[in-house]
Amino acid sequence: MLGAGDVREDVAILSKRILAIASAGGHWDQMMRLRAAFVGHDVTFVTTHDGLAQRAGVVATLVPDCNRNERWRTIACAARLAVLILWRRPHVIVTTGALPGVIGIALGRLVRARTLWIDSIANGEEMSLSGRRARSLATRCVSQWPGVSHAEQVEHWGAVL
């Protein structure tokens, strides 16, 4: 018969370290809607805007926001994510989009993390540029639009919003 200590050990074995990366705005809103999927796991939320986590009632690590036109900010974001990934050693990295998520997925693959790219609901006509980059890097890549998933040959699991 299992005792309380045995159950805690079993839960610890099944629990995963998850890094959940979302830029500010709609990406963050979509990640917050996925929180229930992370219950029972050791989750580290990562975002690009101070104050978002506090408003959502979670703790988050900040990384610099970046885009393809801001080389130095992209390097700073990558450096911060590299340190975070090496320190946390996540089993899984989930992102709802943008360049910080692509960087996180690329770096996560180096430590053998399973990775999931969820292209933003805002991309209803075609997959985002970051999503097209992430498609070749991520373990799984999904679109929230059936038409986009068919055209881009990625999975469709439904919509977050």
Side-chain angles (χ1 to χ4, degrees), residues 50-160:
D50 194 21
L52 287 176
Q54 185 178 7
R55 285 193 292 266
V58 299
V59 175
T61 300
L62 290 177
V63 297
D65 199 3
C66 62
N67 63 55
R68 66 179 185 233
N69 298 320
E70 299 176 313
R71 187 173 309 255
W72 291 111
R73 290 181 64 85
T74 301
I75 292 168
C77 180
R80 179 70 182 110
L81 282 167
V83 168
L84 184 60
I85 288 168
L86 289 172
W87 176 61
R88 295 290 302 155
R89 293 287 181 171
H91 298 112
V92 178
I93 296 175
V94 178
T95 182
T96 51
L99 186 53
V102 175
I103 295 167
I105 282 176
L107 294 170
R109 292 304 299 258
L110 296 174
V111 296
R112 300 189 186 276
R114 295 189 49 82
T115 58
L116 172 62
W117 175 273
I118 303 169
D119 210 43
S120 176
I121 193 76
N123 302 309
E125 300 295 320
E126 64 182 3
M127 188 162 255
S128 66
L129 177 60
S130 293
R132 290 193 300 271
R133 298 282 185 255
R135 182 174 47 204
S136 64
L137 299 169
T139 307
R140 303 292 284 269
C141 185
V142 299
S143 170
Q144 297 184 57
W145 294 94
V148 174
S149 70
H150 179 73
E152 299 287 345
Q153 298 179 337
V154 298
E155 296 177 63
H156 172 70
W157 298 348
V160 174

